[in-house]
Amino acid sequence: MPKRQGNNPKRRIVEQGTFTNRVLTDLARSVRYEGSSLHKKNHSDYDLDPPVNPRPNKSLCDGKGPVPVRKATRLFRSGLKHGMVSAFGEGEYPKYVWAVDEEGEAYEAKLGGDGPSYHGYRLGDDDKMMRRYVLDEWKKRCMNN
């Protein structure tokens, strides 16, 4: 798998407190997590069409085991709640949302092309710097809340 670009300024988490709880709550109401067959090796319960179509150069959200849509949605909402988002871009949505699961795996959700929907993937060994950045920021923001 090719190494990902590690210095993309759009892949930066905004400073803690940049957005009020109200803004983050409103954002959570206006966006949705849908997943993508390009980032799945198992269709799980996503009801995707095509069911599974992983690309060799894409990170898999379920590369270390199934990630049911309920868990992915919970992670996505948790990232929003804790302000683990990039700056808002066109359409007033962040391009990225990040979260960490109970096993310490870091995930990145990216805004899709069809309205305010996101698909996500695990930050793996091909993106160690970003994974460390997300884990460190999650620890600061979320471990005591």
Side-chain angles (χ1 to χ4, degrees):
M1 180 177 290
K3 194 167 186 139
R4 294 183 68 173
Q5 289 291 342
N7 196 18
N8 181 345
K10 294 178 182 174
R11 286 180 79 208
R12 297 290 177 259
I13 303 167
V14 297
E15 288 186 38
Q16 191 169 10
T18 297
F19 302 113
T20 64
N21 287 339
R22 173 73 177 193
V23 168
L24 295 171
T25 299
D26 289 347
L27 175 64
R29 287 187 187 125
S30 66
V31 298
R32 64 190 177 280
Y33 181 83
E34 291 185 340
S36 167
S37 61
L38 300 178
H39 295 281
K40 304 274 182 279
K41 81 177 174 185
N42 300 298
H43 67 81
S44 188
D45 57 351
Y46 285 84
D47 196 30
L48 297 171
D49 186 28
V52 178
N53 189 23
R55 299 270 171 86
N57 63 341
K58 299 288 185 184
S59 298
L60 299 174
C61 84
D62 58 356
K64 287 195 170 186
V67 180
V69 70
R70 191 174 186 171
K71 177 180 178 177
T73 300
R74 181 179 45 77
L75 283 167
F76 177 66
R77 298 278 178 222
S78 184
L80 291 169
K81 173 186 172 187
H82 292 292
M84 295 283 293
V85 300
S86 62
F88 287 27
E90 291 181 33
E92 300 183 27
Y93 299 107
K95 183 165 185 159
Y96 297 98
V97 177
W98 295 273
V100 176
D101 71 9
E102 299 81 18
E103 289 81 36
E105 293 291 334
Y107 292 86
E108 178 175 87
K110 186 175 181 181
L111 185 63
D114 297 331
S117 66
Y118 288 77
H119 66 277
Y121 37 87
R122 189 177 63 81
L123 293 172
D125 291 338
D126 61 327
D127 206 356
K128 288 180 183 177
M129 286 177 47
M130 190 65 189
R131 181 176 62 198
R132 173 56 35 210
Y133 172 54
V134 170
L135 290 169
D136 289 346
E137 200 59 34
W138 186 264
K139 186 176 180 181
K140 283 190 249 177
R141 295 180 189 211
C142 308
M143 298 304 281
N144 296 323
N145 295 329

